[in-house]
């Protein structure tokens, strides 16, 4: 089938490449000529495991092409996927400008029946908005052409997006049209060989399903982070609590890891959009507002722990930070917890040494140009002259840090484990104090730091 994917960002590029991999002929369209030129030259604008090989293989096989020509792409494609960004507006609502512009452009160039598939994350009711725009533009052209608008939300995890698309746990199709549903069934048939994962529902329910999924996952994260703070105050250990509750099949082990807060392009934006839509309908989303509040507080926890450890004297201290992106296997810095931590350390007069396997370039764009920041090439360089080390993003290569070698580089006193990847004894045997999330600090050289000082971090 010939498919048009409009938008070559994260969702559009992954979707287009994966659809082409399964034999469809895909045109990825973007109005950014520079981006299209780079894609045609083999330059991939985002980091995502396996994506570059997928794009190059299908481009070479002529199943995947890149273009800025709306007229030709729409005319030759019976199915058009909308995969553009819906950023948060100042009011917290999802900004539908790009989606609306795409809908208008499709209507301006379509000459026969089209299935318009909205894969962007959009507020409930957006399928009707897209339909109204297309109908209005066709009326302005003085023609009547049949079309169907479908909601087909994406469930792609950054760092695992290709695998998520190729082996989906579900594919949600929101439509009231049997004809459109059958076309979508044909498109996704190659992905359903082991068993059918296609779920068909009405468009509004499909749009809500996307938000509901992210809201549920974000809630689990904030709940664990809130419980972690209480564990530190009571003497419980969140790591043991996680195992205990995860054994309950009704709960399970996924998304039960405490940390420095969630970031990225989805969870924060979608939580705000849901709250904003609820407010517009005079329905207060109290739980989700609390989820966001807990997350904002959690992003300050590592900074407070470091501040407490050094008795408020961070001026001139050197802090090494492992991991900058909001999660591993991506270069995405949007709302990354590292940003708030680094900002706090810089404002406190500390120097920071930073390293991330793939997000350094993007981090340099959003962080200030200051001599307080040293950009490092590897883990050992991070440790040079460092008074403390902080694990923020749990890249696999940070699971077995060479602490004996690092101690030769700097007078490391403490390790702040923002992802609870290590055990206290692993650090204490080298004379390094260990401070994690949700359990008491285990200090071997700084016994003067009282437990109640750390408890005050959570109370504040």
């Amino acid at each position: 089938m010939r498919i048009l994917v409009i938008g070559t960002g994260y969702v559009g590029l992954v979707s287009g490449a994966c659809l082409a991999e399964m034999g469809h002929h895909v045109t990825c369209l973007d109005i950014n000529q520079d981006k299209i030129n780079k894609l045609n030259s083999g330059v991939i604008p985002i980091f995502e495991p396996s994506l570059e090989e997928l794009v190059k293989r299908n481009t070479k096989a002529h199943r995947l092409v890149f273009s800025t020509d709306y007229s030709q792409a729409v005319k030759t494609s019976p199915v058009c996927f909308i995969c553009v960004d819906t950023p948060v507006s100042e009011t917290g609502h999802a900004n539908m400008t790009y989606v609306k512009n795409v809908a208008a452009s499709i209507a301006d160039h379509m000459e026969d029946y089209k299935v318009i598939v909205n894969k962007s994350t959009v507020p409930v009711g957006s399928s009707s908005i897209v339909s109204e725009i297309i109908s209005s533009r066709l009326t302005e052209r003085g023609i009547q052409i049949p079309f169907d608008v479908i909601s087909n939300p994406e469930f792609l995890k950054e760092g695992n997006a290709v695998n998520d698309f190729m082996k989906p746990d579900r594919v949600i199709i929101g439509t009231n049209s049997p004809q459109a549903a059958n076309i979508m069934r044909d498109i996704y048939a190659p992905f359903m060989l082991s068993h059918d994962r296609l779920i068909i529902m009405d468009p509004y329910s499909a749009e809500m399903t996307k938000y509901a999924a992210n809201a549920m996952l974000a809630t689990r994260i904030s709940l664990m982070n809130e419980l972690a703070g209480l564990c530190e105050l009571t003497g419980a250990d969140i790591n043991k609590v996680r195992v205990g509750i995860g054994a309950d099949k009704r709960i399970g082990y996924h998304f039960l890891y405490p940390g420095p807060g969630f970031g990225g392009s989805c969870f924060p934006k979608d939580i705000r959009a849901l709250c904003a839509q609820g407010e517009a309908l005079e329905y207060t989303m109290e739980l989700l507002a609390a989820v966001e509040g807990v997350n904002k507080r959690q992003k300050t926890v590592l900074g407070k722990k470091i501040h407490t450890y050094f008795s408020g004297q961070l001026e001139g201290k050197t802090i090494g930070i492992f991991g900058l992106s909001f999660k591993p296997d991506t270069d995405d810095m949007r709302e990354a917890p590292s940003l708030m931590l680094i900002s706090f350390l810089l404002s406190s007069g500390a120097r920071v040494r930073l390293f991330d396997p793939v997000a350094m370039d993007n981090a340099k764009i959003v962080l200030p140009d200051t001599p307080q920041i040293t950009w490092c090439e590897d883990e050992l360089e991070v440790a040079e002259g460092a008074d403390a080390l902080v694990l923020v993003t749990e890249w696999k290569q940070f699971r077995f840090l060479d602490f004996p070698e690092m101690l030769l580089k700097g007078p490391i006193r403490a390790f702040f484990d923002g992802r609870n990847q290590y055990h206290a004894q692993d650090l204490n045997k080298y004379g390094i104090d260990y401070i994690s999330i949700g359990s008491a600090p285990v200090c071997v050289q700084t016994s003067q730091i009282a437990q109640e000082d750390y408890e005050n971090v959570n109370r504040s």
Side-chain angles (χ1 to χ4, degrees), residues 147-164:
F147 66 91
D148 283 305
V149 175
I150 287 178
S151 176
N152 175 215
E154 54 86 12
F155 299 97
L156 307 178
K157 299 185 296 293
E158 291 192 41
N160 196 53
V162 171
N163 188 60
D164 286 342

Side-chain angles (χ1 to χ4, degrees), residues 329-341:
D329 294 317
T330 180
D331 59 355
D332 196 339
M333 289 295 299
R334 285 174 287 186
E335 305 210 31
S338 65
L339 296 177
M340 186 171 289
L341 171 62

